[in-house]
Amino acid sequence: MNFLTIDTSTTIVVGVCRSEMGQYTELALATSDSTREHAEKLAPLVKEALADAEVDKPDAIVVGTGPGAFTGLRAGLVTARTLARAWNVPVYGLSSLEILGLAAADRGAQEVVPLIDARRREVYAMRVRPMGGDDVAVIAEHSVMKPDELTQILQREPAILAASSADLYPELDDVRGVEREVVTLSPQVMVRLVESRLTRQEAGEEVTLDTEPLYLRRPDTQGGSPQPAR
């Protein structure tokens, strides 16, 4: 199967990954470091990734559901749903933090706190542990907090930080017992995670793969107070 992967929780990451008999091959990767204008830049990146992979139509789409900024996250989710309808293929949603968590687990991390910049001197974070080779178990759910609050948590319960940048609140790395893995929202990790979740669903577990966004707070124009995941 060929999967198109999309994540716009921070920057834009688009890829194509082939899954065949337990083997995963990244066929293409197209990215933009911009944290704005996702709606304008996403479609050309999707076209570029598919062309590079020599894939006319994927068999399924995997999209990151955040948490992230309202406008950027919405652009990725709307694009994924629209393409899935046009191509008549399934679309699956995954937490972007859990994707980062699995990427760090691939490097041997056993207790992981994935991070995404929430702006306004806050971070989105959760805590996960590896579950098998291709999945993670959620220990603490998604939340938005100040770096000082996260520092206090890490002082009590150290973990490996998983972030897409070494510059995201580097002071967190000074906490005793804390290290950082700089990881990416790679197509291969996204496909492995979604296939693990599908297998768990088939086994009767209640595992969600819907594409509801994890905003955690209202858009800036509505005051921006912290919100629970939707």
Side-chain angles (χ1 to χ4, degrees):
M1 288 184 66
N2 293 321
F3 289 83
L4 173 67
T5 65
I6 298 172
D7 192 282
T8 55
S9 56
T10 51
T11 58
I12 307 172
V13 183
V14 179
V16 180
C17 179
R18 177 172 296 154
S19 169
E20 191 170 20
M21 302 293 290
Q23 299 296 314
Y24 299 91
T25 305
E26 184 178 294
L27 301 178
L29 183 67
T31 65
S32 169
D33 291 334
S34 174
T35 57
R36 301 184 183 278
E37 299 178 337
H38 289 72
E40 294 82 357
K41 295 178 178 178
L42 182 54
L45 289 173
V46 169
K47 184 177 180 179
E48 176 186 335
L50 290 171
D52 288 348
E54 298 182 349
V55 171
D56 293 328
K57 185 182 83 168
D59 300 297
I61 300 173
V62 187
V63 61
T65 58
F70 179 89
T71 304
L73 197 56
R74 183 175 182 276
L77 292 168
V78 169
T79 297
R81 293 167 182 163
T82 301
L83 291 174
R85 284 195 297 269
W87 287 326
N88 193 28
V89 299
V91 57
Y92 305 113
L94 293 172
S95 156
S96 304
L97 285 174
E98 291 179 52
I99 298 165
L100 293 173
L102 179 56
D106 284 345
R107 299 185 182 179
Q110 295 299 308
E111 189 87 5
V112 187
V113 173
L115 304 176
I116 289 176
D117 189 4
R119 303 179 186 175
R120 298 193 223 125
R121 291 290 302 173
E122 291 181 323
V123 293
Y124 298 120
M126 68 186 307
R127 184 177 289 256
V128 301
R129 291 176 187 153
M131 186 171 67
D134 299 309
D135 213 327
V136 291
V138 175
I139 307 304
E141 289 286 351
H142 310 78
S143 61
V144 57
M145 65 183 72
K146 300 288 186 184
D148 287 348
E149 296 175 85
L150 182 54
T151 295
Q152 294 174 19
I153 293 171
L154 291 170
Q155 287 171 339
R156 297 193 303 269
E157 301 176 89
I160 300 298
L161 303 178
S164 57
S165 170
D167 299 324
L168 181 59
Y169 300 108
E171 63 269 24
L172 295 170
D173 301 353
D174 296 333
V175 178
R176 178 176 294 181
V178 171
E179 298 179 10
R180 180 182 300 240
E181 291 286 353
V182 178
V183 294
T184 62
L185 294 152
S186 81
Q188 186 194 89
V189 172
M190 293 177 72
V191 173
R192 286 169 46 220
L193 183 55
V194 82
E195 287 199 337
S196 175
R197 299 284 166 89
L198 288 168
T199 299
R200 290 168 61 190
Q201 279 187 345
E202 290 170 3
E205 288 190 52
E206 292 186 8
V207 179
T208 180
L209 288 168
D210 66 41
T211 58
E212 285 300 305
L214 294 166
Y215 290 130
L216 299 194
R217 65 153 74 111
R218 297 187 183 94
D220 291 346
T221 55
Q222 296 182 19
S225 58
Q227 295 292 302
R230 294 198 308 154

